[in-house]
Every structure is written in structure tokens, then in C-alpha cells.
């Protein structure tokens, strides 16, 4: 194997075995890809992927053929029964590039597909001149999935979903799930999905077929227990919730994450859940089904409190989930559900049917293997689930994503997990542009394929992360400098006042000028103050405490905005060179938005007497660079106008990937922030 540090091309995921030989191979200007009919690729999609990439990079027009009478310089075929034992691993493949031609051999369709993706990456980076090499490759996890939030504010367009599936295919993912609460047009539930730009049965049927052609299993996933915020606020369904009396509270991003669990003591709840399951599953070809059943925060606290006191919350939960799993099993389906509640109450693990898969999510950057080992020792099937760390933020937290994904992948492999499902959530309105999740998605692709991958042979974690960031820059962004993702990481580290903190600040107002206690109880610096029922908080007191708790961070805002602007300066020529205007626009809008959020945090801190004279001098020093506002009234008004103009640009970028869905809620939040800035300027 040649030195990986000097190689000017990369493959992601890095193959388990790659031998680079001497010399190069020149692609003919006119030839064909021969794809064996035995592969089972009815539309010859794999051959057409290669032909499309060859044309895109070289301008050459190649042909596609099958059969012994039509040899091609590139051949794709199924191995005979005498192939090596390792080749029998599902998804394994062999790729050979030499002067006699290029051959991809595997035991199954998925293996050939995986080999084709490796070759496509080589062609995209090397054009007509490929290195002589031999690849023997197989995945560590049989299930390598991606979980995309399509419900908490952002519903992707079908066109963008197809683009995302194409990208997942390129990086060898073989499963995709879309998270649904209320954003699917279920019959008889128009009050729930109205105005949300819901996905339709036609969308799912078409997308399921599209994913299948790419070798990706589209698995249905719908909330059937907790996270029923929108449904339980409707006139028709509110009585099925634990707290129907709360159905008319003002909308809240924060409360949406924490309340509105089904009252499972009511028989109508099970009928509601099974209606969702039975109608949705018919649109998919897979036998798997994710019923979610996570974060049932209200269980046993409202309508079901008396029954919970009699049998216990764990029994109440296990009984309901067990009924849903049995309902699916009777129809020949394999249930999945999120494991957070079962892990908190381990007695539930002992009751799980054999065909149920626990989705064991852990998102801490420094997560341990304790929960994964717990499930393994209980003998339950599990898929480990890390995260791309994009939620509640305009810029992705790349370091957190890398630490989390790399660790969870290794823990899962060591404990015999069946797969890895990388999650991409959109809490608080899904302000995070899905294109910002690409580095995290590729982390997942790498570590689901090879959890111990370390191409430099270096055990230093920082070196391993930096190496992968450089490879992503080359492979995904065509960045010869290999700096694009590193600069994006540096920019994300400058998020001093985030979207989450803006939402928390604004939602502390219950709409009448009083403190929203439900929101305050979710903010750590306020929970101690509220521990005693007699300790009420005014809105002013709550916001004062919140901003004072951020004092150290607020003091850094002038410096972090200078660093963020420097990242923008350095990344601009790279984006110009790689020629991806869509990515350039998304990155610029995200960075500009974070600059503005930092300035908003600085201005709000001044309104709560958090900043001192030193901060104000810093503000004057960098005012021309738009780092922060000083506390002059005219500057707060100017910042309000900047926010509103940015929001219009943000809305245009939203439309590139997403339906209108709940964009209006993000806009309303920005406008509230602008109004607050004008108020404090008086």
C-alpha cells in the first residue's frame, strides 16, 4: 500500500484492503461498461452511473451492454461459487484496475453497487488516468442507515430527497428512514397535516422505488406513542392525549419537544396508532417498520396517572409497545423502536419479542459504551444510533459529530450490533440546512463501513479526524486544497449565541409578558430557581438569569465574530474554485446568520446589564466589520433590519431543498427578535 499521506485522491469509506501498484491506466475515449444480467440490476443503473460520471469528467460518451458478445473495458459481474470465503460477506466486492481493464466482482447486487461507488469516486478525482490498484473490501455493519427528520419544521421536496439518496448511495449507505409525526397526508387526518406541505402516498411510492433501484432500503418511521404534539392539539384528536387541557397553549418549539404523549389507557389510542401503522406500511416494500415510541415524557402523569400508579410506568410503556410490535409481527413485519425508555427502565428489555430491534441512540460526543453493553447483555437486537449534530444550529458541530459517530460505531461493533443508523434531527423548526449535514453523513458512512479505520496508522484522534476532513474536502467538494471542511469546522466553533438560545430567550415570554414556566423548566440555569413551587419567576428575572449565565460566552463575541469572518474570507476562494454555487450559497447564508445571532446575543446581553465597558470598547473597535453592535439605539435598529434582510435570503435557500412547510415559524422567530431589538433601543 502506498503512503496515504501523499496520495492525491481518496476513497470514502476507506476500503479494508487496497493495494496501489505501479503505473496508471488510461480510460479509452470510446468503450463500454458491460454489466452482467445476473447482478439483478434491471435498469442497468450501476453501468449508467459509471457512464454518466465518465461523461461528466471527461466528455467521453461510453456505451452500456450485457452478455459475453459485448465485452467492455469496465466489467461488472457476479463471482462464481469458487470465490474467496470473504467475498461471501453481503456487500463485499473486489475491484481491479489494470492495463487490461477494470473489473468489479461480488456475490450480490449490493457488493457490485459498492464497488461501482468506489470506482465512481476514483473517476471523479482522476479523470481519464486511473491508478493501478486492487481493492478487497467488505463492510463492518450490514445495516448502514441514515435517519432524516422530515417533520419538525422542514419537509424535503421529492427532488431533493432523490438527490440525497444518490449521495447516500455514493457513500455506500443501504438504508434510509424519514421521521414523520404529522407531515404525511394520512386519510381522515387533514386537521393534523394541513398547512405542513405533507408528503403524499404518491411521493412515498415513487421514492421507495427510487431508493430500491439504488440499493437503499426505505424504512417507514412514524411516531405512534410520544411526540404527538400537532395531532394532540387538534379538535378531533386532543382527547387522546395525557393533557388535553393543554391543547390550546400557544405554539412553542420547546414544548413541541417535550409534551403530548398518547393516553394509552384510552382504547382509542391503540386504534389511532394502528391506523397510522397499517396505512403507512402498505406504501413500502420493506418488512421493517419503526414505531419510534421515544421520549414519552408525559406517560403516567396525566390521564393515565391512576393506572400508572397501579401497574407502574414501565409496565404501562412495555404493554403498549408490546401490543404495537405484536400487531406488526402478525402481519409479517419486523418492528423497530427507539430504545431510550427501555434503557432507562431495563426491566422492559426482558419483555421484548425476539424479532424487535432496539434503536439505541446516544448523542454525547464523549459517549461511553454502557448503554450499548446493557442491551447486548440483555440479548436484545440493537442498531446503534449516533448523530450528525446539526439540530438547533445554522452551522454543523463537526467536532461533536465526529467524536460521537466514531465512538458509537466502535462500541456497536464490539457489542455485536446489527447496524448503525446515523440521525439528522431538526429540533426547533429545523433551521439547519440539510446540506450542512453532509460532513456528518460521511463520518457515518466511513465508520459504519470500518469503525477502526485509520489510514495513517496514527492513533491520535485529532490526526484521524483531520485526515478524514481533508478526504471529505477532496472527494465530496472537489477541493484540491483539502481545507473546505476544516474551515467549516472552524466557523462552527464560533457559534457563541445560537438559534437554540434565541428561541429560549424569546419563548420565555408566554405571549402575555409573563414568564413561560414550561419553557423555563427546560433551561438548566433556571431549574434550581423553580425547584420550589413557591419561587415564581418574572419574565425579566428569567431573562436576566439566562443572559448572566452566558456572561463568559458573551464576552467572547467580538473575538469569535472576527474569527468567523476570517473563515468566510478564507473559504470564499475555495468555493469559487470548486464551482458548486448551491453549496456556496448555503454556507454563506449559514455563516452570515451566525454572525448576526452572535450580534443579537451581544445586544441582548447589554439590555440585561451583562456587558461591561471593556465589551463596549471591543464593539466599537470592530463595528466596521459588523462583528457586534454596541448598545447605541441606532445600532440595535440597524441590526434588526440586517436580521430581516438575512431572513429573506434564508427563505430563498430553504426553497432549494424543502417545501414551505414551517418556514413561517422560523421567519416569525426572526421577526420577534427584530422587534425585541427595536424595543430595547427605545
Amino acid at each position: 500500500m502506498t503512503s496515504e499521506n501523499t496520495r492525491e485522491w481518496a476513497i470514502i469509506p476507506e476500503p479494508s484492503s487496497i493495494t496501489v501498484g505501479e503505473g496508471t491506466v488510461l480510460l479509452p475515449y470510446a468503450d463500454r461498461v458491460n454489466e452482467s444480467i445476473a447482478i439483478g440490476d434491471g435498469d442497468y443503473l450501476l453501468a449508467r452511473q459509471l457512464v454518466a460520471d465518465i461523461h461528466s469528467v471527461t466528455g467521453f460518451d461510453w456505451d452500456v451492454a450485457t452478455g459475453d458478445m459485448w465485452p467492455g473495458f469496465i466489467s461488472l459481474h457476479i463471482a462464481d461459487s469458487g470465490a474467496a470465503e470473504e467475498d461471501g460477506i453481503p456487500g463485499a466486492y473486489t475491484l481491479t484496475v489494470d492495463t487490461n481493464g477494470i473489473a468489479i466482482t461480488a456475490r450480490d447486487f449490493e457488493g457490485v453497487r459498492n464497488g461501482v461507488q468506489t470506482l465512481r469516486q476514483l473517476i471523479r478525482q482522476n479523470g481519464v488516468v486511473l491508478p493501478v490498484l486492487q481493492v478487497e473490501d467488505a463492510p463492518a455493519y450490514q445495516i448502514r442507515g441514515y435517519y432524516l427528520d422530515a417533520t419538525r419544521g422542514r419537509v424535503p421536496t421529492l427532488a431533493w430527497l432523490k438527490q440525497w439518496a444518490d449521495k447516500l448511495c455514493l457513500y455506500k449507505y443501504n438504508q434510509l428512514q424519514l421521521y414523520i409525526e404529522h407531515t404525511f397526508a394520512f386519510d381522515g387526518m387533514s386537521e393534523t397535516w394541513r398547512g405542513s406541505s405533507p408528503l403524499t402516498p404518491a411521493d412515498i411510492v415513487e421514492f421507495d422505488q427510487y431508493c430500491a433501484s439504488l440499493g437503499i432500503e426505505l424504512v417507514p418511521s412514524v411516531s405512534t406513542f410520544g411526540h404527538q404534539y400537532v395531532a394532540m392539539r387538534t379538535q378531533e384528536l386532543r382527547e387522546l392525549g395525557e393533557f388535553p387541557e393543554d391543547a390550546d397553549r400557544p405554539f412553542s418549539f420547546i414544548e413541541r419537544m417535550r409534551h403530548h404523549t398518547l393516553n394509552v389507557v384510552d382504547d382509542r389510542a391503540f386504534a389511532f396508532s394502528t391506523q397510522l401503522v397499517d396505512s403507512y406500511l402498505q406504501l413500502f416494500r420493506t418488512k421493517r417498520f419503526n414505531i419510534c415510541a421515544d421520549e414519552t415524557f408525559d406517560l403516567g402523569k396525566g390521564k393515565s396517572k391512576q393506572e400508572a400508579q397501579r401497574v407502574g410506568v414501565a409496565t404501562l410503556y412495555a404493554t403498549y409497545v408490546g401490543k404495537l410490535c405484536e400487531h406488526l409481527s402478525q402481519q409479517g413485519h419486523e418492528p423497530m423502536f427507539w430504545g431510550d425508555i427501555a434503557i432507562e427502565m431495563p426491566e422492559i428489555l426482558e419483555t421484548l419479542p425476539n424479532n424487535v430491534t432496539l434503536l439505541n441512540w446516544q448523542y454525547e460526543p464523549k459517549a461511553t459504551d454502557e448503554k450499548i453493553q446493557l442491551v447486548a447483555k440483555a440479548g436484545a437486537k440493537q442498531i446503534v444510533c449516533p448523530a450528525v449534530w446539526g439540530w438547533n444550529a445554522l452551522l454543523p458541530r463537526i467536532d461533536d459529530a465526529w467524536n460521537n459517530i466514531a465512538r458509537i460505531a466502535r462500541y456497536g461493533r464490539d457489542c455485536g450490533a446489527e447496524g448503525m443508523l446515523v440521525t439528522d434531527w431538526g429540533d426547533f423548526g429545523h433551521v439547519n440546512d440539510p446540506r450542512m449535514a453532509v460532513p456528518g453523513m460521511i463520518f457515518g458512512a466511513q465508520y459504519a463501513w470500518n469503525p477502526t479505520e485509520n489510514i495513517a496508522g496514527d492513533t491520535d484522534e485529532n490526526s484521524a479526524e483531520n485526515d478524514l476532513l481533508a478526504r471529505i474536502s477532496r472527494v465530496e467538494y472537489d477541493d484540491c486544497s483539502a481545507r473546505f471542511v476544516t474551515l467549516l469546522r472552524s466557523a462552527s466553533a464560533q457559534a457563541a449565541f445560537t438559534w437554540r438560545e434565541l428561541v429560549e430567550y424569546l419563548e420565555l415570554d408566554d405571549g402575555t409578558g409573563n414568564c413561560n414556566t414550561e419553557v423555563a423548566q427546560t433551561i438548566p440555569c433556571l431549574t434550581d430557581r423553580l425547584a420550589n413551587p413557591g419561587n415564581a419567576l418574572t419574565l425579566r428575572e428569567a431573562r436576566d438569569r439566562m443572559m448572566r449565565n452566558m456572561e463568559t460566552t458573551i464576552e467572547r463575541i467580538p473575538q469569535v465574530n472576527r474569527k468567523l469572518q476570517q473563515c468566510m474570507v478564507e473559504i470564499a476562494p475555495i468555493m469559487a474554485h470548486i464551482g458548486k454555487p448551491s453549496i456556496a450559497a448555503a454556507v454563506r447564508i449559514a455563516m452570515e446568520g451566525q454572525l448576526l445571532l452572535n450580534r443579537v446575543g451581544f445586544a441582548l446581553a447589554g439590555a440585561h446589564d451583562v456587558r461591561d465597558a471593556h465589551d463596549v470598547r471591543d464593539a466599537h473597535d470592530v463595528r466596521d466589520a459588523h462583528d457586534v453592535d454596541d448598545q447605541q439605539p441606532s445600532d440595535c435598529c440597524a441590526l434588526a433590519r440586517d436580521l430581516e434582510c438575512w431572513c429573506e435570503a434564508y427563505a430563498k435557500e430553504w426553497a432549494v431543498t424543502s417545501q414551505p412547510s414551517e418556514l413561517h415559524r422560523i421567519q416569525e422567530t426572526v421577526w420577534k427578535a427584530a422587534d425585541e431589538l427595536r424595543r430595547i433601543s427605545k
Side-chain angles (χ1 to χ4, degrees), residues 146 164 388 390 396 424 432-442 477:
Y146 197 84
W164 192 249
V388 300
D424 183 356
N432 39 310
D433 189 308
R435 291 167 291 184
M436 296 293 98
V438 169
M441 179 272 285
I442 299 177
Y477 297 104

Side-chain angles (χ1 to χ4, degrees), residues 383-460:
I383 290 175
V384 293
C385 307
V388 300
W389 272 85
W391 64 86
N392 298 343
L394 292 171
L395 292 166
R397 285 151 290 190
I398 289 175
D399 280 342
D400 289 340
W402 185 84
N403 275 292
N404 176 239
I405 292 169
R407 290 169 188 272
I408 295 300
R410 291 195 294 269
Y411 300 154
R413 179 212 54 195
D414 293 345
C415 292
E418 296 192 343
M420 188 163 85
L421 183 67
V422 181
T423 63
D424 183 356
W425 295 103
D427 307 0
F428 291 20
H430 210 145
V431 70
N432 39 310
D433 189 308
R435 291 167 291 184
M436 296 293 98
V438 169
M441 179 272 285
I442 299 177
F443 292 166
Q446 175 61 71
Y447 290 105
W449 191 271
N450 184 357
T452 58
E453 175 273 343
N454 192 337
I455 67 166
D458 191 343
T459 58
D460 181 71

Side-chain angles (χ1 to χ4, degrees), residues 16 56 72 77 119 144 148 231 395 407 446 453 458 462 513 591 626 649:
S16 49
S56 175
H77 57 275
L119 181 55
R144 303 176 304 281
L148 180 64
L395 292 166
R407 290 169 188 272
Q446 175 61 71
E453 175 273 343
D458 191 343
N462 290 333
M591 289 186 175
H626 302 293

